[in-house]
Amino acid sequence: MKQQDTTAVPVPSSNSSNTGSGTSPQGEPDPLSKPAEFVLTPASPGSATKAPAEKKRSSRLSEDKRFKIFSGSANRPLTEEVCKFLGVPVGETRLQRFSDGETHFQLLENVRGVDVFLVQPTCRPVDQNLVELLIMMDALRRASAGRITVVVPYYGYARQDRKDRPRVAITSKLVADLLTTAGANRALFVDLHAAQIQGFFNIPVDHLFASPVLVGYFRDLNLPDLTVVSPDAGGVERARFFAKKLEVPLAIVDKRRTDINITEVMNVIGDVDGRTCLILDDIVDTAGTLVKTAEALLEQGATKVYACASHAVLSGPAVERIKDSALEELVVTNTIPLSEEALNVAKIKVLSIAGLLGRAIESIHMETSVSTLFN
C-alpha cells in the first residue's frame, strides 16, 4: 500500500501575541515562548509543499504591520513629527541609564521581520548618543528585525573625514564601521559635511539635502538684490546649487583655519557691494566663522547679511555671538534640538525637515525613488 504524504501544520495558540523574548513585560516567564506544537495532516493528493506567499506592503503605512519607526533620546521631538507626518506611532521602548552612566535599552514591541527605521542624530553629547544608537541597533538585530535603516539627521564626527595632519584618526570612517557592525542594513543622512563620507559605508546610503526646505523659505522672503555666499571653498558646490535654485549670483569667502574652531577670513571673491547676502553653510558650531564672514561682507559693501545652515550645533559662545552679531537672521533646521537659550534668540529661526525625512522613509520602505525629493 502506498504511503500517504504528510505536511506539518502548527496548532494555533489561544493567544497569538508572542514577542519572542521569553518573558512577559513584568519579567515573569512567558508560557507562550515555548515552541509551537505540530500535528501531521494529510497533504492534498498530487500537491507539492509551497513557500508561503510574500506579504505585500500596504500602501498606507498606518496599516502596514511590517513597518515601524523607533527613536533614540537625542531628538525625540523630530521623530514624533516624522511619525505624525506618516500617520504612524513611535515604537515603544524603554531607555534607562545606570548610576555609572551605562545605557540600558529594551524594545517593548515585536519587530521580527519588520522594516525598522531608527532615528537618532549623533549630536551633543556626541559619544553618549552614538553609543546609544549602537546599543539600540544591536537590540533590533538580536530581536530579528527584517531590515534596520539608521536615520541620522546629523552625523557627528563628519568633519574628521581625512588625515589633514600627521598621526590623526579618520573618525568619520570609524563611526561608519561601527554603525555597519552594529547591524545597520541601510543608512539615511541629511547634509553630510563631505559627500564622499558615503563611500565609507559598505551598505546602501541615501543622502538628503535640507536645501528644499531652506530654498522655499528664502524664496518666500523675496529678498532684494540677493547673493548667495559660500563661507569657504569646500561649500561652493552646495552654495552653487542653492544660488541656482534661487536664480541669484554666487560669491565665495576665502578663509584659513588656524586651529580647531578658529578661522581667519582672507578675501571675498565676487561682487557683494550694495547687495543682500545670504551665507550658506552645513554646520554652525561656535559661529566664529559665520560672524567673521558677515563682518567681511559688510566691509565689502553688503547692505544686509542673512545666514542659513542645516545643522545648528551652536556650541560654546555660539548663541551669544549670534545675538551680538550684525546678522539679520540665522535660519536652521531641527536636525539637532536647540537649547532654551538658542530658542529665546529672536535672530534664530528653526524650520522643520520632518516632512522631508518622512517622504524619504516612505520611499525607502515602499522601494520607490528617493531622488525626486532633491527637486
PDB file of all heavy atoms in Angstrom, residues 271-300:
ATOM      1  N   ASP A 271      31.184  90.018  -6.320  1.00  0.00           N
ATOM      2  CA  ASP A 271      30.672  91.360  -6.060  1.00  0.00           C
ATOM      3  C   ASP A 271      29.511  91.295  -5.063  1.00  0.00           C
ATOM      4  O   ASP A 271      28.469  90.692  -5.339  1.00  0.00           O
ATOM      5  CB  ASP A 271      30.207  91.997  -7.373  1.00  0.00           C
ATOM      6  CG  ASP A 271      29.738  93.433  -7.177  1.00  0.00           C
ATOM      7  OD1 ASP A 271      30.089  94.025  -6.128  1.00  0.00           O
ATOM      8  OD2 ASP A 271      29.014  93.954  -8.048  1.00  0.00           O
ATOM      9  N   VAL A 272      29.693  91.922  -3.900  1.00  0.00           N
ATOM     10  CA  VAL A 272      28.641  91.961  -2.883  1.00  0.00           C
ATOM     11  C   VAL A 272      28.256  93.391  -2.544  1.00  0.00           C
ATOM     12  O   VAL A 272      27.404  93.601  -1.668  1.00  0.00           O
ATOM     13  CB  VAL A 272      29.076  91.207  -1.614  1.00  0.00           C
ATOM     14  CG1 VAL A 272      29.309  89.732  -1.902  1.00  0.00           C
ATOM     15  CG2 VAL A 272      30.315  91.845  -0.993  1.00  0.00           C
ATOM     16  N   ASP A 273      28.871  94.359  -3.205  1.00  0.00           N
ATOM     17  CA  ASP A 273      28.608  95.771  -2.907  1.00  0.00           C
ATOM     18  C   ASP A 273      27.151  96.129  -3.221  1.00  0.00           C
ATOM     19  O   ASP A 273      26.657  95.905  -4.328  1.00  0.00           O
ATOM     20  CB  ASP A 273      29.548  96.654  -3.735  1.00  0.00           C
ATOM     21  CG  ASP A 273      29.461  98.124  -3.335  1.00  0.00           C
ATOM     22  OD1 ASP A 273      28.968  98.399  -2.223  1.00  0.00           O
ATOM     23  OD2 ASP A 273      29.856  98.979  -4.148  1.00  0.00           O
ATOM     24  N   GLY A 274      26.446  96.657  -2.243  1.00  0.00           N
ATOM     25  CA  GLY A 274      25.069  97.072  -2.411  1.00  0.00           C
ATOM     26  C   GLY A 274      24.065  95.939  -2.508  1.00  0.00           C
ATOM     27  O   GLY A 274      22.908  96.159  -2.898  1.00  0.00           O
ATOM     28  N   ARG A 275      24.466  94.744  -2.102  1.00  0.00           N
ATOM     29  CA  ARG A 275      23.588  93.585  -2.239  1.00  0.00           C
ATOM     30  C   ARG A 275      23.249  92.976  -0.877  1.00  0.00           C
ATOM     31  O   ARG A 275      23.961  93.181   0.123  1.00  0.00           O
ATOM     32  CB  ARG A 275      24.239  92.514  -3.136  1.00  0.00           C
ATOM     33  CG  ARG A 275      24.556  93.033  -4.536  1.00  0.00           C
ATOM     34  CD  ARG A 275      24.981  91.900  -5.444  1.00  0.00           C
ATOM     35  NE  ARG A 275      23.897  90.955  -5.688  1.00  0.00           N
ATOM     36  CZ  ARG A 275      22.954  91.121  -6.610  1.00  0.00           C
ATOM     37  NH1 ARG A 275      22.944  92.211  -7.376  1.00  0.00           N
ATOM     38  NH2 ARG A 275      22.020  90.201  -6.779  1.00  0.00           N
ATOM     39  N   THR A 276      22.149  92.230  -0.850  1.00  0.00           N
ATOM     40  CA  THR A 276      21.769  91.455   0.327  1.00  0.00           C
ATOM     41  C   THR A 276      22.446  90.092   0.227  1.00  0.00           C
ATOM     42  O   THR A 276      22.297  89.397  -0.784  1.00  0.00           O
ATOM     43  CB  THR A 276      20.245  91.264   0.406  1.00  0.00           C
ATOM     44  OG1 THR A 276      19.618  92.544   0.428  1.00  0.00           O
ATOM     45  CG2 THR A 276      19.865  90.483   1.649  1.00  0.00           C
ATOM     46  N   CYS A 277      23.198  89.718   1.236  1.00  0.00           N
ATOM     47  CA  CYS A 277      23.972  88.470   1.184  1.00  0.00           C
ATOM     48  C   CYS A 277      23.330  87.392   2.061  1.00  0.00           C
ATOM     49  O   CYS A 277      22.838  87.674   3.159  1.00  0.00           O
ATOM     50  CB  CYS A 277      25.410  88.718   1.635  1.00  0.00           C
ATOM     51  SG  CYS A 277      26.369  89.715   0.485  1.00  0.00           S
ATOM     52  N   LEU A 278      23.372  86.180   1.548  1.00  0.00           N
ATOM     53  CA  LEU A 278      22.879  85.009   2.277  1.00  0.00           C
ATOM     54  C   LEU A 278      24.011  83.999   2.406  1.00  0.00           C
ATOM     55  O   LEU A 278      24.424  83.396   1.418  1.00  0.00           O
ATOM     56  CB  LEU A 278      21.688  84.381   1.545  1.00  0.00           C
ATOM     57  CG  LEU A 278      21.194  83.029   2.074  1.00  0.00           C
ATOM     58  CD1 LEU A 278      20.763  83.134   3.531  1.00  0.00           C
ATOM     59  CD2 LEU A 278      20.050  82.501   1.213  1.00  0.00           C
ATOM     60  N   ILE A 279      24.547  83.862   3.606  1.00  0.00           N
ATOM     61  CA  ILE A 279      25.623  82.898   3.861  1.00  0.00           C
ATOM     62  C   ILE A 279      25.015  81.519   4.041  1.00  0.00           C
ATOM     63  O   ILE A 279      24.110  81.325   4.852  1.00  0.00           O
ATOM     64  CB  ILE A 279      26.417  83.286   5.123  1.00  0.00           C
ATOM     65  CG1 ILE A 279      26.950  84.709   5.001  1.00  0.00           C
ATOM     66  CG2 ILE A 279      27.546  82.299   5.369  1.00  0.00           C
ATOM     67  CD1 ILE A 279      27.530  85.241   6.302  1.00  0.00           C
ATOM     68  N   LEU A 280      25.522  80.553   3.283  1.00  0.00           N
ATOM     69  CA  LEU A 280      25.003  79.185   3.342  1.00  0.00           C
ATOM     70  C   LEU A 280      26.089  78.244   3.828  1.00  0.00           C
ATOM     71  O   LEU A 280      27.175  78.185   3.249  1.00  0.00           O
ATOM     72  CB  LEU A 280      24.514  78.745   1.959  1.00  0.00           C
ATOM     73  CG  LEU A 280      24.088  77.289   1.830  1.00  0.00           C
ATOM     74  CD1 LEU A 280      22.825  77.034   2.632  1.00  0.00           C
ATOM     75  CD2 LEU A 280      23.866  76.912   0.370  1.00  0.00           C
ATOM     76  N   ASP A 281      25.808  77.501   4.894  1.00  0.00           N
ATOM     77  CA  ASP A 281      26.761  76.523   5.417  1.00  0.00           C
ATOM     78  C   ASP A 281      25.995  75.291   5.857  1.00  0.00           C
ATOM     79  O   ASP A 281      24.761  75.316   5.989  1.00  0.00           O
ATOM     80  CB  ASP A 281      27.539  77.115   6.589  1.00  0.00           C
ATOM     81  CG  ASP A 281      28.951  76.545   6.700  1.00  0.00           C
ATOM     82  OD1 ASP A 281      29.223  75.511   6.055  1.00  0.00           O
ATOM     83  OD2 ASP A 281      29.771  77.123   7.438  1.00  0.00           O
ATOM     84  N   ASP A 282      26.719  74.200   6.094  1.00  0.00           N
ATOM     85  CA  ASP A 282      26.048  72.980   6.551  1.00  0.00           C
ATOM     86  C   ASP A 282      25.995  72.916   8.072  1.00  0.00           C
ATOM     87  O   ASP A 282      25.044  72.400   8.652  1.00  0.00           O
ATOM     88  CB  ASP A 282      26.743  71.731   5.986  1.00  0.00           C
ATOM     89  CG  ASP A 282      28.180  71.602   6.455  1.00  0.00           C
ATOM     90  OD1 ASP A 282      28.852  72.656   6.587  1.00  0.00           O
ATOM     91  OD2 ASP A 282      28.648  70.473   6.680  1.00  0.00           O
ATOM     92  N   ILE A 283      27.018  73.473   8.754  1.00  0.00           N
ATOM     93  CA  ILE A 283      27.099  73.403  10.216  1.00  0.00           C
ATOM     94  C   ILE A 283      27.435  74.779  10.777  1.00  0.00           C
ATOM     95  O   ILE A 283      28.315  75.472  10.262  1.00  0.00           O
ATOM     96  CB  ILE A 283      28.182  72.398  10.665  1.00  0.00           C
ATOM     97  CG1 ILE A 283      27.853  70.984  10.168  1.00  0.00           C
ATOM     98  CG2 ILE A 283      28.340  72.408  12.184  1.00  0.00           C
ATOM     99  CD1 ILE A 283      28.972  69.981  10.428  1.00  0.00           C
ATOM    100  N   VAL A 284      26.718  75.166  11.821  1.00  0.00           N
ATOM    101  CA  VAL A 284      27.112  76.326  12.630  1.00  0.00           C
ATOM    102  C   VAL A 284      27.504  75.783  13.994  1.00  0.00           C
ATOM    103  O   VAL A 284      26.652  75.315  14.749  1.00  0.00           O
ATOM    104  CB  VAL A 284      25.970  77.358  12.761  1.00  0.00           C
ATOM    105  CG1 VAL A 284      26.418  78.507  13.651  1.00  0.00           C
ATOM    106  CG2 VAL A 284      25.563  77.885  11.398  1.00  0.00           C
ATOM    107  N   ASP A 285      28.798  75.833  14.297  1.00  0.00           N
ATOM    108  CA  ASP A 285      29.289  75.275  15.553  1.00  0.00           C
ATOM    109  C   ASP A 285      29.481  76.388  16.578  1.00  0.00           C
ATOM    110  O   ASP A 285      28.551  76.746  17.298  1.00  0.00           O
ATOM    111  CB  ASP A 285      30.585  74.516  15.305  1.00  0.00           C
ATOM    112  CG  ASP A 285      31.013  73.676  16.496  1.00  0.00           C
ATOM    113  OD1 ASP A 285      30.391  73.801  17.568  1.00  0.00           O
ATOM    114  OD2 ASP A 285      31.973  72.891  16.372  1.00  0.00           O
ATOM    115  N   THR A 286      30.656  76.998  16.624  1.00  0.00           N
ATOM    116  CA  THR A 286      30.877  78.090  17.577  1.00  0.00           C
ATOM    117  C   THR A 286      30.453  79.432  16.996  1.00  0.00           C
ATOM    118  O   THR A 286      30.483  80.445  17.702  1.00  0.00           O
ATOM    119  CB  THR A 286      32.362  78.162  17.977  1.00  0.00           C
ATOM    120  OG1 THR A 286      33.150  78.403  16.799  1.00  0.00           O
ATOM    121  CG2 THR A 286      32.805  76.855  18.624  1.00  0.00           C
ATOM    122  N   ALA A 287      30.100  79.454  15.707  1.00  0.00           N
ATOM    123  CA  ALA A 287      29.632  80.657  14.997  1.00  0.00           C
ATOM    124  C   ALA A 287      30.734  81.683  14.775  1.00  0.00           C
ATOM    125  O   ALA A 287      30.448  82.799  14.326  1.00  0.00           O
ATOM    126  CB  ALA A 287      28.443  81.303  15.705  1.00  0.00           C
ATOM    127  N   GLY A 288      31.981  81.337  15.049  1.00  0.00           N
ATOM    128  CA  GLY A 288      33.080  82.262  14.829  1.00  0.00           C
ATOM    129  C   GLY A 288      33.262  82.589  13.360  1.00  0.00           C
ATOM    130  O   GLY A 288      33.370  83.766  12.969  1.00  0.00           O
ATOM    131  N   THR A 289      33.286  81.545  12.509  1.00  0.00           N
ATOM    132  CA  THR A 289      33.419  81.755  11.060  1.00  0.00           C
ATOM    133  C   THR A 289      32.239  82.544  10.517  1.00  0.00           C
ATOM    134  O   THR A 289      32.400  83.442   9.685  1.00  0.00           O
ATOM    135  CB  THR A 289      33.517  80.393  10.345  1.00  0.00           C
ATOM    136  OG1 THR A 289      34.669  79.700  10.815  1.00  0.00           O
ATOM    137  CG2 THR A 289      33.612  80.574   8.842  1.00  0.00           C
ATOM    138  N   LEU A 290      31.047  82.212  10.983  1.00  0.00           N
ATOM    139  CA  LEU A 290      29.837  82.870  10.491  1.00  0.00           C
ATOM    140  C   LEU A 290      29.858  84.366  10.776  1.00  0.00           C
ATOM    141  O   LEU A 290      29.585  85.194   9.894  1.00  0.00           O
ATOM    142  CB  LEU A 290      28.607  82.221  11.133  1.00  0.00           C
ATOM    143  CG  LEU A 290      27.239  82.774  10.731  1.00  0.00           C
ATOM    144  CD1 LEU A 290      27.000  82.577   9.252  1.00  0.00           C
ATOM    145  CD2 LEU A 290      26.145  82.104  11.550  1.00  0.00           C
ATOM    146  N   VAL A 291      30.205  84.733  12.008  1.00  0.00           N
ATOM    147  CA  VAL A 291      30.214  86.142  12.394  1.00  0.00           C
ATOM    148  C   VAL A 291      31.302  86.905  11.639  1.00  0.00           C
ATOM    149  O   VAL A 291      31.079  88.030  11.155  1.00  0.00           O
ATOM    150  CB  VAL A 291      30.407  86.263  13.923  1.00  0.00           C
ATOM    151  CG1 VAL A 291      30.649  87.713  14.321  1.00  0.00           C
ATOM    152  CG2 VAL A 291      29.195  85.700  14.656  1.00  0.00           C
ATOM    153  N   LYS A 292      32.488  86.304  11.505  1.00  0.00           N
ATOM    154  CA  LYS A 292      33.576  86.962  10.774  1.00  0.00           C
ATOM    155  C   LYS A 292      33.232  87.126   9.302  1.00  0.00           C
ATOM    156  O   LYS A 292      33.569  88.145   8.685  1.00  0.00           O
ATOM    157  CB  LYS A 292      34.863  86.151  10.928  1.00  0.00           C
ATOM    158  CG  LYS A 292      35.475  86.202  12.318  1.00  0.00           C
ATOM    159  CD  LYS A 292      36.735  85.356  12.401  1.00  0.00           C
ATOM    160  CE  LYS A 292      37.331  85.392  13.803  1.00  0.00           C
ATOM    161  NZ  LYS A 292      38.542  84.524  13.898  1.00  0.00           N
ATOM    162  N   THR A 293      32.557  86.133   8.729  1.00  0.00           N
ATOM    163  CA  THR A 293      32.147  86.234   7.327  1.00  0.00           C
ATOM    164  C   THR A 293      31.142  87.366   7.139  1.00  0.00           C
ATOM    165  O   THR A 293      31.225  88.134   6.176  1.00  0.00           O
ATOM    166  CB  THR A 293      31.530  84.899   6.859  1.00  0.00           C
ATOM    167  OG1 THR A 293      32.486  83.853   7.020  1.00  0.00           O
ATOM    168  CG2 THR A 293      31.110  84.973   5.400  1.00  0.00           C
ATOM    169  N   ALA A 294      30.194  87.487   8.064  1.00  0.00           N
ATOM    170  CA  ALA A 294      29.210  88.569   7.990  1.00  0.00           C
ATOM    171  C   ALA A 294      29.887  89.929   8.078  1.00  0.00           C
ATOM    172  O   ALA A 294      29.553  90.868   7.329  1.00  0.00           O
ATOM    173  CB  ALA A 294      28.181  88.407   9.105  1.00  0.00           C
ATOM    174  N   GLU A 295      30.865  90.058   8.966  1.00  0.00           N
ATOM    175  CA  GLU A 295      31.588  91.318   9.093  1.00  0.00           C
ATOM    176  C   GLU A 295      32.363  91.642   7.827  1.00  0.00           C
ATOM    177  O   GLU A 295      32.388  92.803   7.375  1.00  0.00           O
ATOM    178  CB  GLU A 295      32.537  91.242  10.298  1.00  0.00           C
ATOM    179  CG  GLU A 295      31.816  91.175  11.641  1.00  0.00           C
ATOM    180  CD  GLU A 295      32.768  90.912  12.790  1.00  0.00           C
ATOM    181  OE1 GLU A 295      33.962  90.635  12.507  1.00  0.00           O
ATOM    182  OE2 GLU A 295      32.331  90.951  13.963  1.00  0.00           O
ATOM    183  N   ALA A 296      33.000  90.635   7.224  1.00  0.00           N
ATOM    184  CA  ALA A 296      33.769  90.856   5.997  1.00  0.00           C
ATOM    185  C   ALA A 296      32.856  91.287   4.847  1.00  0.00           C
ATOM    186  O   ALA A 296      33.222  92.150   4.044  1.00  0.00           O
ATOM    187  CB  ALA A 296      34.526  89.586   5.631  1.00  0.00           C
ATOM    188  N   LEU A 297      31.683  90.706   4.760  1.00  0.00           N
ATOM    189  CA  LEU A 297      30.743  91.065   3.691  1.00  0.00           C
ATOM    190  C   LEU A 297      30.243  92.501   3.867  1.00  0.00           C
ATOM    191  O   LEU A 297      30.112  93.243   2.880  1.00  0.00           O
ATOM    192  CB  LEU A 297      29.558  90.086   3.691  1.00  0.00           C
ATOM    193  CG  LEU A 297      29.883  88.651   3.279  1.00  0.00           C
ATOM    194  CD1 LEU A 297      28.686  87.740   3.541  1.00  0.00           C
ATOM    195  CD2 LEU A 297      30.283  88.577   1.813  1.00  0.00           C
ATOM    196  N   LEU A 298      29.965  92.906   5.087  1.00  0.00           N
ATOM    197  CA  LEU A 298      29.517  94.272   5.343  1.00  0.00           C
ATOM    198  C   LEU A 298      30.628  95.275   5.027  1.00  0.00           C
ATOM    199  O   LEU A 298      30.375  96.374   4.523  1.00  0.00           O
ATOM    200  CB  LEU A 298      29.048  94.414   6.793  1.00  0.00           C
ATOM    201  CG  LEU A 298      27.746  93.676   7.143  1.00  0.00           C
ATOM    202  CD1 LEU A 298      27.500  93.693   8.648  1.00  0.00           C
ATOM    203  CD2 LEU A 298      26.552  94.292   6.404  1.00  0.00           C
ATOM    204  N   GLU A 299      31.869  94.892   5.316  1.00  0.00           N
ATOM    205  CA  GLU A 299      33.001  95.762   4.988  1.00  0.00           C
ATOM    206  C   GLU A 299      33.172  95.922   3.476  1.00  0.00           C
ATOM    207  O   GLU A 299      33.678  96.952   3.014  1.00  0.00           O
ATOM    208  CB  GLU A 299      34.289  95.193   5.595  1.00  0.00           C
ATOM    209  CG  GLU A 299      34.359  95.305   7.112  1.00  0.00           C
ATOM    210  CD  GLU A 299      35.575  94.606   7.680  1.00  0.00           C
ATOM    211  OE1 GLU A 299      36.373  94.061   6.881  1.00  0.00           O
ATOM    212  OE2 GLU A 299      35.726  94.587   8.928  1.00  0.00           O
ATOM    213  N   GLN A 300      32.729  94.913   2.723  1.00  0.00           N
ATOM    214  CA  GLN A 300      32.820  94.969   1.266  1.00  0.00           C
ATOM    215  C   GLN A 300      31.610  95.654   0.633  1.00  0.00           C
ATOM    216  O   GLN A 300      31.477  95.663  -0.586  1.00  0.00           O
ATOM    217  CB  GLN A 300      32.951  93.546   0.701  1.00  0.00           C
ATOM    218  CG  GLN A 300      34.251  92.854   1.064  1.00  0.00           C
ATOM    219  CD  GLN A 300      35.455  93.513   0.423  1.00  0.00           C
ATOM    220  OE1 GLN A 300      35.396  93.934  -0.728  1.00  0.00           O
ATOM    221  NE2 GLN A 300      36.547  93.622   1.176  1.00  0.00           N
TER     222      GLN A 300
END
